[in-house]
Each structure stands twice: as structure tokens, then as C-alpha cells.
Amino acid sequence: MNAIFPGAQSAMTPGAPQTFPALLRRMTYEAPGVLSLDFEAVDGRELPPFEPGAHLDLHLPDGTIRQYSLCGDPTDRHTYRIAVRDVKGGRASRFVHRGDLRPGVVVTLGFPRNNFAFDAAPRYLFVAGGIGITPLLPMMRAASEAGVPWSLLLCAPRSADAPFLREARALAARNGRGEVSVHASEEGTRLDVAVHLREAQANTLLYCCGPERLMLAVEDATAAWPEGSVRFEWFTPRARPEGEGADTFEVECSRSGITVTVPSDRSVLQVLQEAGVEVPCSCEQGICGTCEVPVLEGEVDHRDSILSSAERAANQTMMCCVSRAQSARLVLDL
């Protein structure tokens, strides 16, 4: 690991560096309302490595932190690429799309993290909605380089609105093992998720990212697929049940010897931080995975958008920014 990034291997441990400065080298128009941003190290050295599916934090001047998927080539150790969609009222999109951020500016980035790991499989099916293609691009690249067959179902209002479509098609054509199909609602080719995914595809891993409506439709359609064969990356927290309650409970930190009470209107993360227990955090919405902590005892009420059903059932970890307790007490390895 390069000296400029001494904390890269342990960036998520308390006290380790969480961020580093990066130079914005270029901005590229990818589709209407979508710009890609290429960053490099301020001194030109290699950047910390990342695997397909990884994301990082972009720190804005006003203190806002937003998470973006790394959509470039993981083998290119000198460039990080992300893509930002113009969202009405969005702080990050306003910063990027309204002229505040331009090539030559130095920004603060977080070290890459990965909650959407790309695992080996005989075949892949990728389902993307608009900007949701970004975490899937490095996966398509890796599959193509490995000669593993894959298919992409890309949804957008119009074909012209689909970001990175040309790149996806080039990856598919690289060795003839990939296939890209565009489903444009305004052109009469909307994706019928229930029809396409009604039956599980043998020896296939499905990766999905996009707006909540698409993600929930895929989740429903693949309910009978084998456990672990369908993976999701959420850009925003999934909707919670209306009127969901929040009881008071205790949290014991086994290593620090601190016990706190978490009231109904406070999160575990907030109460721990107020008690002096340092827990790394970023999104505070249960989508980035920064605040994951090990659970030793007690039953967790999982409210994140990261863990799989099997991981939730195992009850060995929790995202303390949003998840709570179903039992009266939790014991955490903190």
C-alpha cells in the first residue's frame, strides 16, 4: 500500500484515516442529466484498490456526504470514476451539475467499501434502472474478461436516456459472451419483470440496482429463486412499514464496559456517540455499511437496506444507524 494511503486497509476501524484528498481530472456527459467524474490521487500515485460493486463517499463543502458506486475499471489504479445524476433539490447533484465542481478542484473522498460483492458464478444476469447501471459496469467488465456469459436488462424512459449504454454494448461485444437489451417505457418496450424473472435461471447470480419500484418488483418476482442468488444495491433506503414503532432498549458495549439506554426517538449510533463510543458512520440511512457492528447477544430489529435475509437471520451484525432491538437488551462487540 502506498504511503499516501496508510489507512486504506483499516479505514473503517476507529482512529484510522477515513478520507483522502483527490483531484477531479475530468467530467464527461454520459446521458441527459448524468455526468461521470474521474478522480486521481493529488500526487499521481496509485489509488487504493477496489472490487466490482464497491462505492465511496464524496464529501461536499457544506459537510454533506453522499455515496457513489465506483463504475470504472478496477484494474486502473490511477483513476476512480463515479457518476452523478441531476436530481431536483439534491445537494450533491446541484454541487456537481450547477458549476460548483469543475476539473482541477481537489475534493475529499472516502476509502472504497463494498456491500455488493461480485462473486464467482457460471452465469450472470444484471438488471439496472437508469443510473443503477453504475455498480454493474465493473461486474460486466470482470465477467467479460473471465469469459463468463452475462446478460443486462437496462431500463430507462428512452434509449437515449440510458447512461453508459455504449460502454455496456462494447463490453458485451468484447468476446461475444455478453448481451444487452434496453427496455424503454416511452418507446413501448417496458420491462415486464414478472415475465422475465418468473422462473429461476440455473447457475445464475442476479445483480440488481435502480429505483425502488424496479427493485421491489425484482424482489417479488424472484422470491422463489435460491437463497443468495439475487443481490441488490440500494441507492436510497427502502420504504419502511407505515406506523412502525420504536421501543426503548439497552445496549451493552462488551469491550468498553459501557451500557446505554436507547430511547424511541434516538438511534443506537447517536446514543453510542454521545456516550463516547466511537463508531464510524457516513450515510446514517442504512445503505452504506459504515456503521456495521458485531452483535454478541440479543435479537436485532434489522432496518437497513444492506443485509440479506440469511445475514439477518444469523443475527451476528447490525447497522447501528437505523436498526434497533427486538429484545430488551443488545450486547455489541464494542
Side-chain angles (χ1 to χ4, degrees), residues 52 74 118 124 137-148 150 171:
F118 183 59
Y124 299 99
L137 283 169
M139 298 183 184
M140 289 182 255
R141 183 181 301 276
S144 294
E145 291 174 351
V148 179
W150 57 270
L171 289 172

Side-chain angles (χ1 to χ4, degrees), residues 14 55 85 114 122 157 164-165 182:
H55 67 276
R85 182 169 65 92
N114 201 337
F164 301 104
L165 177 56
V182 180

Side-chain angles (χ1 to χ4, degrees), residues 44-317:
R45 295 191 185 188
E46 288 188 341
L47 294 162
F50 73 93
E51 299 293 331
H55 67 276
L56 53 68
D57 292 341
L58 171 63
H59 293 247
L60 304 183
D62 65 357
T64 301
I65 302 174
R66 291 291 183 267
Q67 291 74 42
Y68 293 97
S69 296
L70 285 160
C71 57
D73 183 354
T75 66
D76 180 1
R77 291 291 304 280
H78 289 90
T79 305
Y80 281 169
R81 182 179 68 173
I82 65 172
V84 180
R85 182 169 65 92
D86 192 5
V87 178
K88 184 178 180 180
R91 291 183 183 179
S93 62
R94 183 176 67 248
F95 178 65
V96 172
H97 286 267
R98 301 295 183 268
D100 294 320
L101 185 64
R102 286 294 176 262
V105 172
V106 174
V107 303
T108 299
L109 299 179
F111 289 97
R113 300 190 301 273
N114 201 337
N115 304 314
F116 198 42
F118 183 59
D119 293 330
R123 182 177 180 83
Y124 299 99
L125 175 59
F126 304 112
V127 182
I131 196 71
I133 192 175
T134 51
L136 307 179
L137 283 169
M139 298 183 184
M140 289 182 255
R141 183 181 301 276
S144 294
E145 291 174 351
V148 179
W150 57 270
S151 298
L152 169 66
L153 306 178
L154 180 57
C155 303
R158 300 175 303 141
S159 298
D161 295 330
F164 301 104
L165 177 56
R166 180 180 299 179
E167 181 173 334
R169 284 174 169 164
L171 289 172
R174 175 171 295 182
N175 57 13
R177 303 289 281 173
E179 180 182 357
V180 176
S181 60
V182 180
H183 299 266
S185 54
E186 294 182 9
E187 297 170 4
T189 57
R190 180 188 295 273
L191 176 65
D192 190 331
V193 173
V195 171
H196 274 80
L197 306 178
R198 181 167 43 205
E199 297 182 2
Q201 299 184 19
N203 302 314
T204 299
L205 277 184
L206 187 158
Y207 287 86
C208 177
C209 185
E212 184 178 53
R213 181 177 178 181
L214 172 65
M215 304 265 277
L216 293 177
V218 171
E219 189 174 54
D220 289 343
T222 59
W225 283 45
E227 175 70 31
S229 64
V230 182
R231 318 285 178 84
F232 296 94
E233 175 83 325
W234 295 81
F235 283 159
T236 58
R238 59 188 304 159
R240 300 296 308 172
E242 187 175 349
E244 183 176 55
D247 294 332
T248 298
F249 57 95
E250 284 191 345
V251 171
E252 177 187 340
C253 301
S254 64
R255 285 188 283 114
S256 63
I258 293 175
T259 298
V260 297
T261 299
V262 181
S264 60
D265 61 345
R266 306 288 284 170
S267 70
V268 174
L269 175 64
Q270 290 171 331
V271 175
L272 289 177
Q273 289 178 331
E274 290 170 358
V277 180
E278 185 177 358
V279 180
C281 63
S282 179
C283 75
E284 298 188 43
Q285 300 180 86
I287 59 175
C288 74
T290 309
C291 68
E292 183 175 7
V293 295
V295 177
L296 302 178
E297 296 179 25
E299 187 175 358
V300 179
D301 177 9
H302 293 286
R303 301 187 179 188
D304 64 273
S305 301
I306 300 175
L307 297 177
S308 67
S309 57
E311 289 169 329
R312 295 182 179 202
N315 200 60
Q316 295 179 345
T317 187

